[in-house]
Amino acid sequence: MSTTMKNIINDLTKAFNTGVSYMMPTVVVGGICLALSLAGGDATAGKGMVVTNPFLKNLGIIGSAGFSMMIPILSGYIAYSIAGKPGITPGMITGFIANMPIGDNHVQTGFLGAMLMGILCGFLARWVKKWKVNDTIKTIMPILIIPIVTTVIIAMVYIYILVGPIGIIMKWLIDMLSGMQGGSALILGLIVGAMAAFDMGGPVNKTATAFTLALMAEGIYGPNGAYRIAVAIPPLGIALSTFISRNKWGSDDRRMGPSAAFMGLIGITEGAIPFAVKSLKTVIPSIMIGSAVGAGLGMVHGVECMVPHGGLIVIAAVNKAPLWYAIDMAIGVIVTAICLHILRPTIENNETK
């Protein structure tokens, strides 16, 4: 491997770790506030968990704000790690754009898109910093020239070039899944579960959401039951792994375990994001396998969930096989933890104390 490639890999590794370290407090605050809010709600068939208590509703507002900030912060501090302070604003703005509906198909790319935006903004801003300019312009480069040039270029590349292909892929996925409805329940469950975990709230996850909601509108609740099992498995599986495979995780990750478990119990898949960003190659396959197994079993056991929300918090809204809903979720969680134990390297003792 060339020295240049090694430097790029080192830059990206450092950037992802930096982005996660700044994002973690937002995930914890937002997730816990949202969890407490939803825990006091009532399960309804049309709107999921409905919170009526004024105090809990305000907690929900805080939690939603934290989740809204999570993706832009991740992108902004990935760019910051690469380019310094001039990369923060472009990274946050483009990360925010990546997490909002764009175009006729209302495409969102979620945390994967935000990671890409952070990388592109970081390297472009670092290149613009090297421009040879006179002393007068040099003073306004960090606060004016670099942020504007970087933000406009990367945002336009995303809007005009990246969103279109992503929208086509999402439409293809929905059409493909819709065509499978009459096929094998197990295969459908495996696909829906893997999609739910793949990007943890991103476009692939939302494609599966749209598919299950469309079927619910037609009175078909089985795929929604499988999907609601799957969305809880990634954070719960990771939390279990941090507890039983302590030598596979650093101290920061182990401290995040309880909050991930808390979010998993109420079906917030995003609780797995901080762990995934640090090690995509071990976390993503593990949670996809675990969620696919849980959702596949849910389809086989005929689990039906009547509300558009997941986790154990909605078990009262599971009108068929509620016991299997919990058991299949537990099996998926255990499978995820086993996969993580196999795939993740052991960390030196001084890092696990």
Side-chain angles (χ1 to χ4, degrees):
M1 184 181 296
S2 66
T3 303
T4 302
M5 184 58 66
K6 286 182 179 179
N7 290 337
I8 292 174
I9 292 174
N10 289 335
D11 285 345
L12 292 178
T13 301
K14 179 185 175 184
F16 292 152
N17 288 335
T18 300
V20 169
S21 67
Y22 281 97
M23 180 185 71
M24 275 185 178
T26 309
V27 174
V28 173
V29 173
I32 290 178
C33 287
L34 193 58
L36 291 172
S37 174
L38 291 173
D42 298 316
T44 65
K47 299 181 180 179
M49 299 299 294
V50 174
V51 179
T52 56
N53 181 281
F55 179 76
L56 293 179
K57 288 176 71 174
N58 289 332
L59 271 182
I61 291 172
I62 296 171
S64 297
F67 267 37
S68 297
M69 293 175 62
M70 174 181 69
I71 299 300
I73 287 175
L74 172 65
S75 180
Y77 281 96
I78 286 175
Y80 164 73
S81 177
I82 297 170
K85 290 182 180 179
I88 294 178
T89 296
M92 286 191 173
I93 292 175
T94 56
F96 180 85
I97 292 172
N99 203 39
M100 63 185 293
I102 298 291
D104 295 337
N105 294 322
H106 305 290
V107 178
Q108 292 176 259
T109 57
F111 98 98
L112 292 176
M115 289 173 65
L116 177 60
M117 294 299 98
I119 293 167
L120 295 177
C121 285
F123 282 111
L124 180 58
R126 190 163 75 178
W127 176 69
V128 176
K129 284 174 67 174
K130 297 178 181 178
W131 287 1
K132 303 297 183 182
V133 296
N134 61 46
D135 291 341
T136 302
I137 297 179
K138 186 178 294 186
T139 59
I140 62 172
M141 285 287 285
I143 61 172
L144 183 63
I145 305 299
I146 298 174
I148 289 178
V149 170
T150 304
T151 302
V152 171
I153 290 177
I154 300 302
M156 291 301 179
V157 166
Y158 176 79
I159 293 170
Y160 284 105
I161 297 176
L162 298 179
V163 164
I166 292 172
I168 292 172
I169 292 171
M170 289 179 65
K171 184 178 183 303
W172 172 78
L173 285 172
I174 292 175
D175 292 342
M176 180 190 69
L177 287 174
S178 298
M180 289 190 63
Q181 174 57 30
S184 167
L186 174 61
I187 293 176
L188 180 60
L190 292 172
I191 293 175
V192 168
M195 291 179 68
F198 174 71
D199 54 0
M200 294 157 286
V204 177
N205 176 290
K206 286 182 171 60
T207 298
T209 302
F211 171 68
T212 58
L213 292 180
L215 293 178
M216 283 179 67
E218 301 298 322
I220 302 170
Y221 296 95
N224 183 61
Y227 177 73
R228 302 306 164 181
I229 290 172
V231 296
I233 289 173
L236 288 174
I238 292 172
L240 179 61
S241 178
T242 62
F243 180 73
I244 65 174
S245 303
R246 297 180 65 82
N247 61 343
K248 302 285 185 174
W249 301 91
S251 56
D252 288 343
D253 294 322
R254 294 199 307 275
R255 283 193 291 268
M256 283 286 293
S259 63
F262 196 43
M263 284 184 265
L265 289 173
I266 63 162
I268 299 179
T269 320
E270 288 86 345
I273 290 178
F275 305 89
V277 173
K278 284 187 176 181
S279 181
L280 290 173
K281 65 182 180 181
T282 64
V283 173
I284 297 295
S286 299
I287 62 177
M288 286 181 67
I289 292 170
S291 291
V293 169
L297 290 173
M299 288 295 293
V300 170
H301 293 139
V303 173
E304 292 187 358
C305 183
M306 308 299 291
V307 300
H309 199 80
L312 285 178
I313 194 175
V314 300
I315 194 168
V318 178
N319 73 333
K320 285 189 178 180
L323 181 60
W324 279 119
Y325 179 84
I327 292 174
D328 294 342
M329 187 183 298
I331 292 172
V333 168
I334 293 170
V335 169
T336 296
I338 292 172
C339 291
L340 287 167
H341 185 81
I342 294 171
L343 294 178
R344 291 186 65 82
T346 300
I347 298 176
E348 296 298 328
N349 290 335
N350 62 343
E351 293 184 41
T352 59
K353 292 179 180 178

